[in-house]
Amino acid sequence: MPSFRIASLASSGLARSFTTTARRLEIRDVSELPNRIVPNYKNSPTSSLLSLEWPSPPRNVLIVPKLYAPLVISSAVEFAKHIHSEYPNLHLIFEQRIASTIHDSLPFPIYSSDPTHFPTKIDLVATLGGDGTILRAASLFSLHASVPPILSFSMGTLGFLGEWKFEEYKRAWREVYMSGSRVGVSDLQGPHTQAATNGWNDGGNDAVGTREGWATIRGKNMGTTRASKILLRHRLKVGVYDENGANINAHLMPTSTAALTQPLHPVPPEIKELSNTGEPVVPDLHAINELVIHRGPNPHLAIVDVYVGNRFLTEAVADGILISTPTGSTAYSLSAGGTIIHPLTKTMLLTPICARTLSFRHLCLPLNKKVVLKVSKKNRGRELEVSIDGKRRAGVTIGMEIRVTGEVVGQVGDDDTWTGGVPCVIRSSGQGDEGDDDDGWVGGLNERLKFNYPVG
Amino acid sequence: MPSFRIASLASSGLARSFTTTARRLEIRDVSELPNRIVPNYKNSPTSSLLSLEWPSPPRNVLIVPKLYAPLVISSAVEFAKHIHSEYPNLHLIFEQRIASTIHDSLPFPIYSSDPTHFPTKIDLVATLGGDGTILRAASLFSLHASVPPILSFSMGTLGFLGEWKFEEYKRAWREVYMSGSRVGVSDLQGPHTQAATNGWNDGGNDAVGTREGWATIRGKNMGTTRASKILLRHRLKVGVYDENGANINAHLMPTSTAALTQPLHPVPPEIKELSNTGEPVVPDLHAINELVIHRGPNPHLAIVDVYVGNRFLTEAVADGILISTPTGSTAYSLSAGGTIIHPLTKTMLLTPICARTLSFRHLCLPLNKKVVLKVSKKNRGRELEVSIDGKRRAGVTIGMEIRVTGEVVGQVGDDDTWTGGVPCVIRSSGQGDEGDDDDGWVGGLNERLKFNYPVG
Amino acid sequence: MPSFRIASLASSGLARSFTTTARRLEIRDVSELPNRIVPNYKNSPTSSLLSLEWPSPPRNVLIVPKLYAPLVISSAVEFAKHIHSEYPNLHLIFEQRIASTIHDSLPFPIYSSDPTHFPTKIDLVATLGGDGTILRAASLFSLHASVPPILSFSMGTLGFLGEWKFEEYKRAWREVYMSGSRVGVSDLQGPHTQAATNGWNDGGNDAVGTREGWATIRGKNMGTTRASKILLRHRLKVGVYDENGANINAHLMPTSTAALTQPLHPVPPEIKELSNTGEPVVPDLHAINELVIHRGPNPHLAIVDVYVGNRFLTEAVADGILISTPTGSTAYSLSAGGTIIHPLTKTMLLTPICARTLSFRHLCLPLNKKVVLKVSKKNRGRELEVSIDGKRRAGVTIGMEIRVTGEVVGQVGDDDTWTGGVPCVIRSSGQGDEGDDDDGWVGGLNERLKFNYPVG
Amino acid sequence: MPSFRIASLASSGLARSFTTTARRLEIRDVSELPNRIVPNYKNSPTSSLLSLEWPSPPRNVLIVPKLYAPLVISSAVEFAKHIHSEYPNLHLIFEQRIASTIHDSLPFPIYSSDPTHFPTKIDLVATLGGDGTILRAASLFSLHASVPPILSFSMGTLGFLGEWKFEEYKRAWREVYMSGSRVGVSDLQGPHTQAATNGWNDGGNDAVGTREGWATIRGKNMGTTRASKILLRHRLKVGVYDENGANINAHLMPTSTAALTQPLHPVPPEIKELSNTGEPVVPDLHAINELVIHRGPNPHLAIVDVYVGNRFLTEAVADGILISTPTGSTAYSLSAGGTIIHPLTKTMLLTPICARTLSFRHLCLPLNKKVVLKVSKKNRGRELEVSIDGKRRAGVTIGMEIRVTGEVVGQVGDDDTWTGGVPCVIRSSGQGDEGDDDDGWVGGLNERLKFNYPVG
Ligand SMILES: NC(=O)C1=CN([C@@H]2O[C@H](COP(=O)(O)OP(=O)(O)OC[C@H]3O[C@@H](n4cnc5c(N)ncnc54)[C@H](O)[C@@H]3O)[C@@H](O)[C@H]2O)C=CC1
Ligand SMILES: NC(=O)C1=CN([C@@H]2O[C@H](COP(=O)(O)OP(=O)(O)OC[C@H]3O[C@@H](n4cnc5c(N)ncnc54)[C@H](O)[C@@H]3O)[C@@H](O)[C@H]2O)C=CC1
Ligand SMILES: NC(=O)C1=CN([C@@H]2O[C@H](COP(=O)(O)OP(=O)(O)OC[C@H]3O[C@@H](n4cnc5c(N)ncnc54)[C@H](O)[C@@H]3O)[C@@H](O)[C@H]2O)C=CC1
Ligand SMILES: NC(=O)C1=CN([C@@H]2O[C@H](COP(=O)(O)OP(=O)(O)OC[C@H]3O[C@@H](n4cnc5c(N)ncnc54)[C@H](O)[C@@H]3O)[C@@H](O)[C@H]2O)C=CC1
């Protein structure tokens, strides 16, 4: 394999790394990779799911295994080897902590870096683990409007968000890799031992990625209209403001536990915009499950003023308040008594956590409403804790506020690029059933949440 | 006043009624009225509410007072007299039961008929009463996709849906009547002592809608862009099917208690479409609050199989199940533990009523999902009760099913006519505040539902 | 067997029936039986359960199988035959409907009558069926303070109240029959093929209860201290009063569905006491699960004024209100959101059914509090429905009220007879484990209610 | 007044303090005071409340004002001055922090010390503040089985536990001071301008409790049978055990925030008993509201194994678990969704805090059940937090457990002394209404908790 690796490097303009030590060879820097390929998502008349359509084959794949779980790391190695041998032109990327654990087990170079570079480079993410791993993967893109598609494998115990069983990884991978390619794939379930021989035509942004890329994956005829189904999960945009109304997102703690002790990775220049006043716009944080404000270790009740659409709604006296996406409705919000919401519903859910009245019912708001949570002057504790998707991000004190609204999702700009949401690859039945509109939600309620589990 | 009445009748082409008895004069038939004027609803960039825009002045107004409430009837008389004297070309319509009670108190002819004719004739509805009265008014249009705007006055105790206090009726009426007219109104708050002197072009079906109609209402300059705000409330479409899968909506009981003992008013010919198979399409029933299936007087638990999007979700063993609109989320669903939903959220809510497990949580679904409730073979009771908006409509037995989905709302067809939803006129502050986006929901939660009412 | 039967009849002084037809022979009248033997219940220092102690062997056994369930009837026949052959001096009693179905299958006479006679005659009840069957059995004693012990077998699907699997019936029966006899039983699990040969002193009313009765049951050594464990389930006393404050219990419908169309069985003279004013005291109705007041088929909300300890608590606007025993806390109250209460807790639970506020939380009161539910003048419907343990008993109208309090339980009077509660025989492990204090409640929560069933 | 003070000191055998500085004079040590007088509590046939009966007049009064609230401190000064001038032989005790703030404002000596001495010296407690102040007062006796009666004044905002308005303090004080004295009091409502002139027999440890003590309080005839009503609030006994099963209560943090940074006050020798093995018995901690185990600042869910009566009930995966008294049912448990329990119900309530299943319903158990909460091996966080009545007491780690059961309440021992519970003086109406059984609970639900607050 080394010879191939050299060729690959040369052709992709990364040859300069080649002269470095073996060590450097094995973990290369993500910044050397070609830029991201952004897929299209097509609406279907028969389904509320979207169809994934790659303009050219994906090249840069981030693999996110569960942390501290040796068996999952082994599976990640197995998965990486399979991809490397069957889809040789792909670059495999890992978070730094994982990369340094794993590189010895892999006979080919892998890529890593500070997560700052991921949003501009990653075409596709594969997670191996539970719901927490998917949340961690999504959090790597929490400052960005465009998240790459996520293919998630659940390992052992089932989670609620995980879609594919790890045993299905070969089929799952091929399906998402080929999605929208219009290249017939005949033996989806069979072995894929023969490497590609032909190049392929692919215009795209700057993507070299020709159609031949797919064509060369011989024997992989999927039927020309076959495409992976995407569930675009809504996110919430979150801004934390100090007593003077200044956004302090940039000072918050990083989301990824992979780098728990680091400061928030600096906002990469390309996403720094200027506001009307000439100041750089601070990026929003995005939550895929929820934003929580909680008393934390504070023994006293938290007191938070809640505004909806600029109107004062209520003074919440409670352990905390959470604002959840539909996705997060089966997470903390469910435990706090909230309603369960189908992920395609355009709503956000305000759920109190142990509120000290008899009459604080959970609320559903249109996703485009603006909600503000303001730390009341009446608080007796020092500070309240702000968490996003289960990770503590800030301690907020009297006068500070958190502004939350739904992220805009859809095609924007002149080039109609998709923006917003977390595109999750839905498990297909593997039967080639075109009209299948199963988003897996009903199954998840029954099998995982034990919804309305019969008595007696 | 008699002379005026005669003139008015003559000029409006209704002279043939003139030869009838005084009695006949006073209650005329709705079928004699010109056809309905369908308004436009404009989106606003600064508000999630719509703006009401009449193509020409409304002419036919249905007034719906609360039943069995003499004080409300008196207010209805006062309201009718005001409109008749200030806006003389309008026709006032009442349900039959009300009309026969009220006509003696009114010195001008009023209109009435079987409710079958209302959907093609009524331009605007004014209700006087509580939430139940609004539900009753909406139910008069429950077989129709296009409901006229509803201006609702609450009398005495506040309801949750009612918008205006009765004391404000002069301002409220003028505002909605003039809405979108582009005719300046100068003294919105002042007295309106001078009656209109000119007639206005009342062009029947295809009303040319001359500006003059409004211009004659002297001294009523509202500022040219002033328009009533409309909250378009979502409805659910409901079909009841027998064991053979045949729709039996046409055999269900009428919604309106005003005619409780009559059979369902026959579907008027103009809304009878033909399906692909040449059969007439049975119209859907529409719910503004909810559809309920309940054990009723049956001592045993109801057993209902629930399907979501063609998938079996669960077997509900319960007092009942309800599927609610966002509007209905503060009605029965709230009592049954459901979440409170902002009326602009595109969702429907499935709430169990006393389900016999620990694990039946309420669910929110996208408004376009299809839900089926099927009476299980396991039921021991004779039949279950089906109600829409609090009115019993049918008893369903084993094998029968109820299909529910959200009504499509928006502009459809070649002429972009608005369809779907119940357009409710929102109370404005009367301050001419253009950018005001208050849908009154936050206020209603606090003042009426005592949301999160403080303890201590 | 006929010869035996004759002998038995002769020796028991019932010979006068002998001359009647074969038909009469097979279903005899309960009034002919010797009077009831009331057991003692001993407290134990190591257990919160009581120990059953018969002063002399039980003689009259009421067998209550599930209705309309042929397989259960077959099991009842099997059970009856076993008892008749192994414990020949016992009299088996059935409700009339069951007796007429079953007597052909039994080669020995059985007893039946109007349920009025049961309370003075029945020593022990065995139920075969689910929770509903136990409720029905208990309802036969709903006018009486002293209920015989109930041995309940669940058939097929497990209920929550049922204790023993039907397969265990031989052991279960022997255990309860011998309980407290101080006669050693050696082969509890073994076959009991040898019938008793000696008669035993069956002394009518004040049965001397000689030890010989048990001693003749050869080979049934249980260890001298072995006794069946009894869970004494609390009941509620219920009185329904008309607008004038007169108790109308005597006019309510009967509880037992076995006699659904009959009027309430007349109160037997022996329980008719005189009040201070010389009027006969109307007996209370007793609920083992709950008392419910509900809107029933009425579409409008029920309005009920609730008093606790003579103080006005609240006006409930709801589908209904229920007052539950701890036993009933896992029945309707659970569905309505109520808390789950261990059956030995001295409390009653007031749970609203779909109350129309955000702030009606369920309440637990000491069992000796007095609660009054009064039908408010504000009700719009004709009448509300009153049910006890799932059976409709009355329709109540404006001004009527229901008074509820916990039944006094314990030893009363000069002779220290036990009174109050429903004594349920708890399933023992069969291992002779003396100190076992398992009331089965924790097991029931997990196995039947799927309490805290794990997610994922 | 100074002369009086000296006399009083001399006669009470405390003269040795007299020679110290003025400063020492003003804050004396509690250990110098005569021992506590333990009252009797009489059952009444007409009330579920108890009657307070002092064997001799109370002498040592602990005054507990709210912390950090200057206005409440002023009220405490006013209250102390009133008692000193009208009831001159009483000793007023304050916590150290309060004593040093307040002594300058009081022209007579006060007492203070480490709270260790309170349980053997304090006859009666008066609190000024909210519920938190009552909890703090009770916590001073949390290691002891016998708590003095607590007379609680609410200041400003009403709490749920507070009974008397501060404005009523003269009447309230007289009523509780005279309770059970059999001395007639004639002018309960009138002004009390005449001070007592005679001293009274203050007989040290075993006060003979002469009637003269009360008789000297001229003009205070209450009617001979008048007595303060006592609501005896149940407490929970709590033991924290390490992985080896050793009780570590003695190492936990102190309850009182008045001494937040001190270690737990050492167990006074007189309550140290010896167990069977000769080891000193570690005293239980007592909770008046609840015991909470919570994830605290830990982002991950807590995992706790719950045992009831030695049987494994469930693995709770949640923010936390709480076990509440009936009193605590309106505190944290209410916020977590628990049922509201009348304080005289003999039950404890197990309520999950945001449990991660759909099926964890709150549970009520008999007060004498034993519940064990064991920190599961599956926990990922470092430690869980244990709080009693809202004060953090310990961090517990994997393998540690908390054992909870209800405190035994009633008359024990040869001398029938009352033990257990927190005796709270209930507000009387002041109308001398003998048979009044109002425990104030229904009023509190409505006025403070806004129970079932009407909608509309
Ligand atoms: N009391 C509670 O229920 C709490 C819940 N959480 C939830 O945990 C999430 C973080 O997850 P982890 O880092 O894995 O923490 P974790 O290890 O504490 O596990 C949280 C649990 O929630 C599940 N989960 C996460 N997202 C879910 C979703 N969208 N739908 C259904 N189940 C979901 C996970 O599978 C796991 O069982 C937070 O976003 C928050 O929603 C966090 C704190 C307390
Ligand atoms: N247990 C319960 O809560 C029950 C509720 N209902 C509700 O009553 C409705 C029918 O109303 P009525 O004919 O007036 O019956 P009704 O006279 O029984 O009154 C129902 C109550 O619900 C209120 N209400 C109705 N719609 C509402 C809404 N959208 N939001 C907030 N409050 C609302 C009314 O103001 C009234 O207080 C049904 O659509 C159903 O939602 C019907 C039966 C039982
Ligand atoms: N929505 C609901 O949950 C309703 C519940 N019920 C309950 O049904 C009871 C009458 O039972 P059936 O005649 O069998 O009627 P049913 O045939 O309608 O069944 C009621 C269900 O409740 C169960 N059940 C009864 N008592 C129970 C208890 N103490 N603990 C746990 N589960 C229990 C039964 O096993 C059965 O599954 C009533 O006392 C009432 O509690 C009655 C009406 C509605
Ligand atoms: N989310 C919640 O509801 C939380 C409640 N708490 C409760 O606070 C208590 C400690 O009280 P503070 O030190 O004053 O803390 P705090 O200052 O945080 O206030 C707790 C609130 O609970 C009220 N409260 C306390 N005991 C009550 C009772 N038995 N019934 C009704 N209301 C009651 C108080 O009046 C106050 O409004 C704890 O025992 C716990 O029950 C503590 C933490 C969170």
Side-chain angles (χ1 to χ4, degrees), chain A residues 295 319 330 332 335 354-356, chain D residues 295 319 330 332 335 354 356:
Chain A
R295 65 182 176 89
D319 269 8
T330 46
Y332 202 170
S335 308
C354 295
R356 236 203 95 54
Chain D
R295 65 183 177 89
D319 269 7
T330 46
Y332 202 169
S335 308
C354 296
R356 237 204 95 54

Side-chain angles (χ1 to χ4, degrees), chain C residues 232-272:
Chain C
L232 200 59
R233 294 188 179 274
H234 295 296
R235 296 191 298 178
L236 297 173
K237 293 195 300 180
V238 178
V240 183
Y241 292 80
D242 68 16
E243 316 75 51
N244 307 314
N247 184 310
I248 59 165
N249 280 8
H251 309 296
L252 303 187
M253 274 187 285
T255 299
S256 165
T257 48
L260 199 58
T261 54
Q262 306 168 345
L264 189 69
H265 31 277
V267 180
E270 58 268 47
I271 74 157
K272 270 198 191 133

